[in-house]
Amino acid sequence: MNLLVAIALFISFSALWLLALPYACILWRLLLAAGLKAIHLDAHLDLIAWQRGFIQLAIPCLRVTPLLPDPQTWIWNCVITAAAFVSTYFWPKHLVPLIYLSRGILLIHASACTYFAIWPAQFPHTPNGYLEGLTFSSIAIITVVPLLFSLTYYIFNFGLWRKAFLTALTMTYLVFFVPFQLLFQAVFVQKTVLYMPVLYIVFAMPADVLVIVAFYAWGMTWKFRENPR
């Protein structure tokens, strides 16, 4: 029965998402446009026409002028990164997980500072390509949520409505999370491409995956449905 429910939910949510995707793109365009005005980003909004079969989308993408870090920006980033890394050695011991997470993030940014000190003009990526790729990868992640849950969550005896609720809640949260994630990234990318490596490795797709893991972990705390005697 759980296997049949998993197949039915996977097909149902996948079909519903494909039907809702054009409206999700409209919602993203409205939220991104409002965000650009609210926080006065040095960016503009563009629409990319995308079509596969019967699916036609106008995907909103942020466009930002690529800027290499000037010497002052580079120096300040190096100083702040080094100072923040040293400060982690004085944090309380009960914050060990946060300490190592912070050091990992700081080391990633330190490697970016080193790269731009040696080969600044050879950086192969642009903010436009990065933000566009993040938009498409976010769509892909939301699309595979029903498949992920069908393989890892639907197989347990939580009941049909709980499984459907968790899937709908996760996908809806991600739909609203994506435009705010893009605006957050654009705030830093508009300053300089120096921030792109740490944004990509820590705050791009991994953030979306952590959202899914968090909802999955919450759903796994629910009680199993009792089997009728």
Side-chain angles (χ1 to χ4, degrees):
M1 182 59 67
N2 283 326
L3 179 61
L4 294 177
V5 169
I7 295 173
L9 288 175
F10 165 68
I11 295 174
S12 299
F13 276 103
S14 297
L16 287 173
W17 170 240
L18 293 179
L19 294 175
L21 186 52
Y23 302 99
C25 290
I26 295 174
L27 175 64
W28 290 345
R29 184 180 65 194
L30 296 175
L31 291 176
L32 289 173
L36 289 177
K37 293 181 180 179
I39 58 181
H40 305 289
L41 277 176
D42 186 15
H44 67 276
L45 193 59
D46 192 16
L47 294 178
I48 298 178
W50 187 90
Q51 181 176 358
R52 290 293 186 276
F54 68 93
I55 304 175
Q56 297 181 359
L57 303 175
I59 302 175
C61 292
L62 293 174
R63 301 302 187 189
V64 178
T65 303
L67 295 175
L68 291 173
D70 56 63
Q72 184 178 5
T73 300
W74 182 85
I75 291 174
W76 274 111
N77 274 270
C78 290
V79 171
I80 294 174
T81 301
F85 189 87
V86 172
S87 71
T88 61
Y89 287 92
F90 300 94
W91 293 7
K93 296 301 181 181
H94 66 272
L95 297 178
V96 167
L98 182 60
I99 289 172
Y100 283 102
L101 176 62
S102 300
R103 288 177 185 173
I105 295 174
L106 291 170
L107 286 174
I108 293 171
H109 191 54
S111 67
C113 292
T114 303
Y115 179 91
F116 281 98
I118 303 174
W119 307 287
Q122 298 182 18
F123 190 64
H125 306 288
T126 63
N128 290 344
Y130 168 66
L131 292 172
E132 181 178 324
L134 179 58
T135 304
F136 277 86
S137 66
S138 298
I139 293 175
I141 286 177
I142 300 174
T143 303
V144 301
V145 166
L147 176 61
L148 291 175
F149 280 4
S150 66
L151 297 174
T152 61
Y153 189 76
Y154 299 162
I155 57 177
F156 297 104
N157 194 26
F158 286 108
L160 173 63
W161 294 111
R162 287 185 178 181
K163 295 174 182 178
F165 172 73
L166 185 68
T167 308
L169 184 62
T170 304
M171 297 178 73
T172 302
Y173 186 94
L174 286 171
V175 166
F176 284 94
F177 176 76
V178 167
F180 292 99
Q181 182 186 33
L182 290 170
L183 290 170
F184 170 81
Q185 303 258 343
V187 168
F188 293 92
V189 172
Q190 70 168 344
K191 303 294 183 182
T192 173
V193 294
L194 176 63
Y195 300 114
M196 280 177 55
V198 70
L199 289 173
Y200 172 75
I201 296 174
V202 180
F203 300 103
M205 187 180 295
D208 298 333
V209 174
L210 284 176
V211 168
I212 298 175
V213 172
F215 277 105
Y216 175 84
W218 178 52
M220 287 299 294
T221 64
W222 299 345
K223 293 182 178 180
F224 285 167
R225 184 185 61 179
E226 296 183 1
N227 292 320
R229 295 182 180 178

